[in-house]
Amino acid sequence: CAIDVNLRLPLDLGLAGSEHLAARGGGSIVLIGSVAGRTGGTMLSTPVDYAASKGGLHTIVRWLSRNVVGRNVLVNAVAPGPIKTAMTAGSAVDGSKLPRGRMGEASEIGWLIQGYTAGTIPDYQMAAWLMAGFLRGLTEEETLALVDEMLHSGIVLDLSELPMPKVDKHSTGGVGDKTSLVVAPAVAACGVAVPMISGRALAHTGGTLDKLEAIPGFQTQLPLTQFRSILARCGLCLIGQTEEIAPADRKLYALRDLTATVPFRPYMCASIMSKKLAEGIDGLVLDVKTGNGAFMRREEEARALAEMMVRVGQGMGKRVIALLTDMDQPLGRWVGNGVETAEALSILRGDLTGDLATLCLELGARMLLV
Ligand code: IUR
C-alpha cells in the first residue's frame, strides 16, 4: 500500500543507502515526491493515503538529508507530476495533442518556476517557455502545478490571529477600473479585513499599485510585519508582490507584459490566484472583465477564466465567487493614475452616481456576503 511504498521503503532504503554511499565516499539519493504531499491532491480521486504518505516522504527526505550532513551524500526528491499509474487512470488527457506526447510534469514546471524565481533561469529562457505555453496550451494539471509553484514561491500568510473574516477582491483588468481603491476601505469599514496584494499596469489596462503611487509618498512595498500591523490596525492594507509574497508572480507578471503573453487563461489564473491565495484570505470576489477593453473580449472566454479561477480557489478551501462585468467602455469618468485616484475618493465621499459606483456597491456587497 502507499504507506509501505512511500514511507517504509524510502526510509529503510534511504538509511541503508546513505550509509553505503557515505562509506564509499559519497553519492546522491533522489526520491519521488508529489505535489499531492503538499496540496492534499490535485484530483478529486487522489486517495488520502497517497497524499498523506507523499507529505511524509517529503519529511523523510529532509530528515535523511540532515542525517548525512558533512558525509558527502546528497538526499533530495523530485515531483514528477501526473504520470500514468493505476491512480491516475481515467483522468483523460489526449497526449497526441501535446508536443512531447505526454502530460506536462509538475517537476518540470516546479524546476522552471523555482529556477526563475531564484534567478538561475534567465529572462530569455522563461520568455521562450511563456510563449511555448501560450501557443500550445497548458492542461488543467499543468495549470494547477503552475498555480501551486507560484503560490509557494514565497510565504503563504496565516492571518488566523485576526478575529474578523478576511476577504479580498481582484479584477482581471480594464480601462478606468479603480474599484479596489473604493471597495477595500468601504468593506473594511464594515468590519471585514481586506489584505490586498495588487499588481501594476498590464498591457493597456491600469494597475492598482500605479494608481496608489499617484498619492505622493505612498509606499506599496512594505515588509510583511508592517503589512500585518496595518491590517490589524486599519482593517485593510494594499501592497504589491514582494520578495516574500508571490515573488514568482512579480517576475512573471512583468515578463508576460513584455512578451505579449498576458491574455492566456492559465497564466491569468496562475497570476491572480497565486497572489490571492498567498494572502491568508477566507473569501475572494473575482471581477472578470469582458468586452473591447478587457483581455477576455468574448463572454465565453471570460466565463471559462472565471470558472477556472473559482475551481482553483475552491479546491484550496476558499470561498470564491466571480462576477462577469462589462468592459466595452471605460469604467467611470476618468482614465489616468492621478485622476482615477481622485475619482475613487469622490465616490468614498458619497458621490454614488454612474457605472463605477454601481459596480463598487455590487462588489462590496458580494465581499460582505461571500
Ligand atoms: N491581474 C493579475 O494580477 N494578473 C493577471 O494576469 C491579470 C490581472 I490579466
Side-chain angles (χ1 to χ4, degrees), residues 62-328:
R62 291 194 188 94
W63 186 87
L64 278 172
S65 61
R66 265 192 7 204
N67 208 37
V68 291
V69 166
R71 301 174 73 193
N72 202 25
V73 177
L74 205 127
V75 185
N76 214 331
V78 294
I83 47 174
K84 287 211 170 83
T85 63
M87 195 183 87
T88 57
S91 56
V93 171
D94 182 358
S96 68
K97 294 221 170 85
L98 304 174
R100 303 182 84 173
R102 59 169 172 76
M103 298 187 219
E105 294 184 356
S107 65
E108 293 161 336
I109 292 174
W111 173 83
L112 187 77
I113 299 302
Q114 284 163 22
Y116 183 59
T117 310
T120 54
I121 292 178
D123 277 351
Y124 64 84
Q125 282 180 337
M126 195 66 211
W129 186 87
L130 283 176
M131 186 51 77
F134 182 81
L135 293 176
R136 76 149 174 97
L138 293 189
T139 64
E140 182 96 6
E141 290 284 330
E142 288 167 336
T143 305
L144 281 172
L146 185 62
V147 177
D148 193 55
E149 283 304 334
M150 289 174 65
L151 167 63
H152 290 99
S153 65
I155 290 169
V156 179
L157 282 176
D158 176 358
L159 297 175
S160 51
E161 82 273 7
L162 295 182
M164 58 282 223
K166 275 83 50 189
V167 179
D168 192 9
K169 77 149 270 267
H170 196 83
S171 156
T172 56
V175 181
D177 183 353
K178 66 285 274 174
T179 48
S180 291
L181 301 184
V182 178
V183 165
V187 168
C190 299
V192 168
V194 185
M196 189 179 275
I197 298 170
S198 301
R200 295 203 174 275
L202 207 47
H204 63 285
T205 68
T208 302
L209 289 186
D210 305 304
K211 290 171 204 185
L212 285 171
E213 285 176 359
I215 301 170
F218 199 100
Q219 266 293 340
T220 56
Q221 294 289 307
L222 297 179
L224 275 186
T225 44
Q226 217 173 335
F227 177 73
R228 279 175 182 279
S229 69
I230 292 174
L231 186 64
R233 202 171 69 243
C234 309
L236 81 159
C237 188
L238 279 75
I239 57 167
Q241 309 99 311
T242 64
E243 285 307 320
E244 293 166 293
I245 304 181
D249 182 54
R250 189 154 78 115
K251 292 188 82 176
L252 285 169
Y253 194 85
L255 197 61
R256 283 166 58 217
D257 197 25
L258 294 172
T259 52
T261 53
V262 171
F264 178 50
R265 220 179 289 144
Y267 297 165
M268 295 170 92
C269 171
S271 163
I272 293 173
M273 297 311 287
S274 64
K275 55 179 173 286
K276 297 287 130 178
L277 292 169
E279 290 172 342
I281 44 169
D282 307 309
L284 176 64
V285 175
L286 295 162
D287 181 10
V288 182
K289 301 287 186 199
T290 177
N292 293 336
F295 291 115
M296 305 279 104
R297 296 172 76 92
R298 290 185 300 120
E299 193 177 319
E300 310 88 83
E301 293 172 350
R303 187 175 300 282
L305 174 64
E307 286 172 356
M308 182 185 269
M309 293 196 289
V310 169
R311 228 171 20 247
V312 167
Q314 289 181 345
M316 301 234 180
K318 309 293 176 190
R319 298 195 296 273
V320 185
I321 61 161
L323 307 186
L324 297 185
T325 68
D326 174 55
M327 194 28 79
D328 267 333

Side-chain angles (χ1 to χ4, degrees), residues 22-92:
R24 275 184 29 185
S28 300
I29 297 176
V30 181
L31 295 165
I32 310 293
S34 169
V35 69
R38 200 163 61 197
T39 62
T42 49
M43 296 178 303
L44 280 178
S45 57
T46 306
V48 64
D49 58 346
Y50 178 82
S53 60
K54 286 296 186 187
L57 180 96
H58 299 164
T59 307
I60 289 178
V61 170
R62 291 194 188 94
W63 186 87
L64 278 172
S65 61
R66 265 192 7 204
N67 208 37
V68 291
V69 166
R71 301 174 73 193
N72 202 25
V73 177
L74 205 127
V75 185
N76 214 331
V78 294
I83 47 174
K84 287 211 170 83
T85 63
M87 195 183 87
T88 57
S91 56

